[in-house]
């Protein structure tokens, strides 16, 4: 596969519409930590308040742009633990760009950033056990499944298992 040219960059006020669309996409709520819609005001405030410092914010969220400077998704490190030098990784690739290698390229860049800049020791991800595409994506970039988390996710009606994936840097 030809390596994609992507850029990871900080959120800008101009990203409000993209962030609003992604955060309010009900199809991905079950995969994340939210189950309520975000207002434009709340997201505008989030963009304005972030210090772009993982030590202050305990997370870093970056926009994934392709070579044409089109936003294809978001990638973030969160639940950052400086004492144990680890963080959880999350990624959302917009539907129209899935299956084209953007997720793999974005995770690879984020792992490089975590290793070389943040000096983290490990990164983990928690993925719905039925989300085989996401599991395959994480395996492609070196994550290994370490555990199955019984009834970890609740979609409002049913509990579902999740898998704990981990990589060491």
């Amino acid at each position: 596969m030809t390596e994609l040219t992507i850029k990871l960059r900080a959120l800008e006020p101009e990203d409000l519409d993209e962030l609003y669309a992604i955060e309010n996409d009900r199809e991905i709520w079950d995969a994340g930590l939210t189950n309520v819609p975000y207002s434009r005001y709340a997201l505008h405030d989030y963009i304005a308040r972030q210090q772009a410092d993982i030590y202050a914010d305990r997370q870093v969220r970056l926009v994934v742009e392709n070579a044409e400077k089109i936003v294809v998704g978001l990638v973030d490190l969160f639940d950052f633990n400086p004492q144990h030098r680890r963080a959880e990784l999350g990624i959302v690739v917009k539907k129209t760009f899935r299956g084209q290698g953007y997720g793999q390229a974005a995770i690879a860049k984020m792992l490089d950033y975590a290793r070389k800049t943040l000096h983290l020791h490990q990164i983990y991800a928690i993925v719905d056990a039925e989300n085989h595409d996401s599991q395959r994506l994480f395996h492609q970039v070196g994550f290994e499944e370490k555990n199955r988390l019984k009834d970890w996710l609740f979609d409002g009606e049913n509990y579902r298992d999740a898998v704990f994936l981990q990589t060491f840097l």
Side-chain angles (χ1 to χ4, degrees):
M1 177 195 288
T2 306
E3 187 174 325
L4 288 173
T5 300
I6 65 156
K7 178 181 178 182
L8 300 183
R9 63 165 178 80
L11 279 167
E12 297 288 350
E14 296 79 22
D15 295 317
L16 180 60
D17 290 338
E18 294 284 357
L19 186 60
Y20 182 82
I22 291 170
E23 290 291 354
N24 289 301
D25 182 351
R26 291 179 186 263
E27 289 183 23
I28 62 173
W29 281 2
D30 293 340
L33 300 174
T34 189
N35 59 2
V36 296
Y38 284 98
S39 70
R40 286 186 187 282
Y41 177 82
L43 293 172
H44 179 273
D45 190 48
Y46 167 75
I47 292 171
R49 280 185 303 107
Q50 69 176 355
Q51 297 178 38
D53 177 358
I54 196 167
Y55 290 93
D57 298 333
R58 290 294 192 244
Q59 70 174 20
V60 61
R61 174 173 284 177
L62 300 173
V63 172
V64 182
E65 278 185 345
N66 67 11
E68 293 77 33
K69 297 190 178 189
I70 296 170
V71 174
V72 299
L74 300 170
V75 62
D76 55 348
L77 292 172
F78 57 100
D79 286 344
F80 170 62
N81 186 312
Q83 177 183 359
H84 300 294
R85 296 180 25 212
R86 67 174 175 243
E88 185 171 351
L89 188 140
I91 185 165
V92 174
V93 175
K94 292 165 51 176
K95 264 188 191 180
T96 55
F97 296 101
R98 291 181 189 160
Q100 299 175 37
Y102 289 110
Q104 191 172 351
I107 291 174
K109 277 198 185 248
M110 188 61 108
L111 293 177
D112 190 57
Y113 170 73
R115 178 186 316 103
K116 292 178 180 174
T117 304
L118 302 176
H119 309 290
L120 296 184
H121 173 62
Q122 62 180 292
I123 303 292
Y124 64 94
I126 297 173
V127 177
D128 187 319
E130 299 303 314
N131 190 340
H132 303 293
D133 290 338
S134 288
Q135 289 177 52
R136 186 171 27 268
L137 169 62
F138 282 100
H139 287 294
Q140 288 171 337
V141 292
F143 281 72
E144 295 179 9
E145 184 175 329
K146 296 297 183 179
N147 205 350
R148 189 173 188 94
L149 306 168
K150 183 80 173 144
D151 289 349
W152 195 259
L153 304 170
F154 183 65
D155 65 10
E157 295 179 16
N158 300 298
Y159 287 95
R160 292 186 324 279
D161 292 355
V163 293
F164 182 91
L165 300 142
Q166 181 181 41
T167 191
F168 293 93
L169 306 175

